[in-house]
Amino acid sequence: MSPNPRETFQLGPFIVPRLWTGLWQLSSNAWGSASASKVRQAMSRHVDLGYTAFADHYGSAEVLFGQFQQSLPPGTVMGATKWCLFRPINPTRAVVEAAVAERMQRMQTNCVDLLQFHWNDYSDTNYLTALHHLRDLQDEGKISAVGLCNFDTKRTDEICTQLGPGFIVSNQVQFSLIDTRPLHGMSDVCERHGVKVLTYGSLCGGFLADKYLHAPEPDLYSGTLTPSQRKYLDMILKAWGDWKLFQSLLKVLSDIGKRHGGLSISNVASRWVLDHSFVGAILVGARLGVADAEHITENSRVYGFRLSDEDHSIIEAVLSRSNGRHMITSIGDCGAEYR
């Protein structure tokens, strides 16, 4: 089991840990690949260490998770998937029900644990219609909980207001020491409506890690970076600051980790995210079944400490030198880069 007592929170009808296993790396061999049996074995190791929540729908993620969930006693694990709409549709009851049925079939379940909804075009307000149908399907027992994915502050507030209290339980958005956009409005809306943010990108594709302290600036266009690393390196270098300032941040995080008993940069970066009350959980991308790529024991050390006021002040001194507080205007609100 985890060396530290795991932290949990209430998400709809579930009690879930504050660290989740993100399955987006099953979408491409660019992260490395493993057989289905090795992936399921890796999932089992995660569960043994207290990682009982899995998320995302990319590639074969739903199918592999569904197979794994079937091998366990009911209620052992919780699975979050998505319904993402990037092209205009007419979300009739039949269309919405078919989308949920597809999720259920792929995950081998009669009820989706958490369905996260993404809608690309805000000018088409049919996202409200789709969500009304999802609420009906929840009432019928086909969905346990409904969340949003990459919705901005304005639309999150609108949806929660119109659909009523308690329906939307989460919004999955990017949040890290580099990307602090959720602090500019989203946090207040989530606190007001009782919505928890599920964060991704909190380790910036692995750049917020000991291995990059004192490392030379990576080549953005090299073939050695994963898709996530290219995305987050571009954000670090073009939107947030530069590699020199990023090294200053890594040094500060490393020093804080040493003062807390030899914790890693990733531990400190994760703790900073979790210390925000509107955050429910961090989704940590896992290269399931790929040797030396899971870091599950190290990640569990996040549960064993808290950052002090002095720690936060030292971190903020570096962040104040970056463009992080201006990314809400340079990039846009949460999820704007996907629209």
Side-chain angles (χ1 to χ4, degrees), residues 12 30 45 74 84 87-88 99-100 106 114 144 149-150 164 166 170 173 191 210 212 229 284 290 293:
R45 290 196 297 274
C84 297
R87 293 185 296 272
V100 174
R106 286 174 60 81
L114 172 64
S144 292
C149 180
N150 283 320
S170 62
V173 298
E191 296 278 20
D210 292 339
Y212 287 101
Q229 287 175 323
V284 182
V290 179

Side-chain angles (χ1 to χ4, degrees), residues 253-306:
L253 300 180
S254 177
D255 290 344
I256 291 172
K258 290 174 183 176
R259 288 199 296 273
H260 283 276
L263 298 174
S264 70
I265 288 173
S266 296
N267 291 155
V268 178
S270 297
R271 187 72 256 174
W272 183 89
V273 171
L274 291 174
D275 276 352
H276 291 84
S277 59
F278 66 94
V279 171
I282 292 175
L283 279 61
V284 182
R287 298 166 68 183
L288 293 170
V290 179
D292 301 319
E294 294 173 34
H295 309 297
I296 51 179
T297 302
E298 179 198 335
N299 290 338
S300 66
R301 301 181 73 194
V302 171
Y303 290 143
F305 78 108
R306 293 289 187 278

Side-chain angles (χ1 to χ4, degrees), residues 75-210:
T76 303
V77 295
M78 192 278 285
T81 188
K82 294 179 182 175
W83 182 32
C84 297
L85 293 168
F86 296 103
R87 293 185 296 272
I89 67 162
N90 178 16
T92 63
R93 161 69 190 226
V95 167
V96 176
E97 189 167 15
V100 174
E102 181 183 15
R103 305 275 78 75
M104 291 192 296
Q105 186 272 326
R106 286 174 60 81
M107 300 177 80
Q108 299 183 33
T109 182
N110 294 320
C111 179
V112 175
D113 291 338
L114 172 64
L115 183 68
Q116 299 172 101
F117 176 68
H118 174 86
W119 186 271
N120 191 60
D121 183 9
Y122 291 142
S123 68
D124 179 0
T125 58
N126 269 323
Y127 55 84
L128 292 168
T129 302
L131 284 163
H132 277 286
H133 291 313
L134 289 176
R135 185 174 62 181
D136 291 341
L137 290 168
Q138 182 185 38
D139 292 340
E140 295 167 18
K142 295 181 179 179
I143 307 169
S144 292
V146 176
L148 305 175
C149 180
N150 283 320
F151 269 80
D152 66 6
T153 300
K154 178 180 178 180
R155 257 58 62 157
T156 300
D157 189 29
E158 173 194 34
I159 289 166
C160 291
T161 299
Q162 292 205 23
L163 274 293
F167 172 59
I168 297 298
V169 300
S170 62
N171 188 14
Q172 183 178 324
V173 298
Q174 188 170 300
F175 185 41
S176 69
L177 284 159
I178 301 301
D179 184 357
T180 60
R181 288 177 293 167
L183 297 177
H184 301 272
M186 182 63 70
S187 58
D188 293 336
V189 165
C190 288
E191 296 278 20
R192 187 164 68 250
H193 291 289
V195 171
K196 288 295 186 182
V197 162
L198 307 177
T199 78
Y200 65 92
S202 296
L203 297 178
C204 292
F207 281 114
L208 286 167
D210 292 339

Side-chain angles (χ1 to χ4, degrees), residues 211-289:
K211 67 177 290 185
Y212 287 101
L213 178 62
H214 306 309
E217 180 179 322
D219 179 1
L220 183 61
Y221 302 102
S222 75
T224 61
L225 300 179
T226 69
S228 287
Q229 287 175 323
R230 286 194 294 273
K231 168 186 172 180
Y232 294 113
L233 181 60
D234 185 69
M235 177 171 284
I236 291 167
L237 299 180
K238 295 182 180 180
W240 182 79
D242 55 32
W243 192 249
K244 182 179 179 180
L245 183 59
F246 186 66
Q247 285 295 308
S248 298
L249 177 61
L250 293 182
K251 179 63 166 59
V252 161
L253 300 180
S254 177
D255 290 344
I256 291 172
K258 290 174 183 176
R259 288 199 296 273
H260 283 276
L263 298 174
S264 70
I265 288 173
S266 296
N267 291 155
V268 178
S270 297
R271 187 72 256 174
W272 183 89
V273 171
L274 291 174
D275 276 352
H276 291 84
S277 59
F278 66 94
V279 171
I282 292 175
L283 279 61
V284 182
R287 298 166 68 183
L288 293 170

